[in-house]
Amino acid sequence: PYYVDMNQNLFLQAYLHSSDKNLRLFVDTCVASPSPHNFTAVTYDIIRNGCVRDSTYATYYSPYNYIARFKFNAFQFIRSNPVVYLQCKLVVCRAYDYSSRCYQGCITRSKREISS
């Protein structure tokens, strides 16, 4: 566990351990939950599909493609749950492959029209 105060900045870094230094790491989705076993029922999106959902989220420069750095502010769920669990999904791509998911950024899916 990592103990923080409310609204304290949390700085995170993900590092891809690989001998291939031509890989790039991309933070696709980070979701918080009051339960370590359920990241679908009661959740809070920090970033989803590359789209920032929390105004305190920010990325930081990394001199290496295989390191992703970001931060957000600590918060608590409704009903004052003292524990928050974080699950992040990262994507690994070839560096400088501009058609890869890593270079697409925020992906919004359009809603389908309901037929009459």
Side-chain angles (χ1 to χ4, degrees):
Y2 187 72
Y3 299 97
V4 297
D5 293 325
M6 289 292 296
N7 295 319
Q8 180 181 341
N9 283 329
L10 292 171
F11 296 92
L12 289 91
Q13 174 174 284
Y15 182 98
L16 177 64
H17 294 273
S18 172
S19 59
D20 186 350
K21 300 303 178 193
N22 289 316
L23 297 176
R24 179 176 171 159
L25 199 54
F26 174 71
V27 181
D28 181 74
T29 298
C30 277
V31 178
S33 170
S35 167
H37 308 292
N38 188 343
F39 283 89
T40 56
V42 179
T43 62
Y44 176 77
D45 288 353
I46 297 166
I47 182 169
R48 179 163 306 269
N49 298 321
C51 303
V52 176
R53 303 287 188 218
D54 182 298
S55 63
T56 67
Y57 178 90
T59 58
Y60 285 92
Y61 169 77
S62 169
Y64 305 105
N65 287 324
Y66 52 89
I67 295 177
R69 295 175 174 165
F70 59 98
K71 73 101 180 165
F72 61 92
N73 285 2
F75 62 93
Q76 72 182 29
F77 279 88
I78 299 172
R79 295 184 202 94
S80 300
N81 193 321
V83 178
V84 175
Y85 297 89
L86 185 65
Q87 182 181 73
C88 294
K89 295 181 182 179
L90 293 94
V91 178
V92 178
C93 306
R94 284 260 162 233
Y96 312 110
D97 175 2
Y98 297 107
S99 64
S100 71
R101 175 67 190 98
C102 293
Y103 291 92
Q104 293 173 1
C106 175
I107 295 179
T108 56
R109 294 191 174 113
S110 59
K111 295 180 181 176
R112 289 186 280 175
E113 218 175 280
I114 299 174
S115 59
S116 54

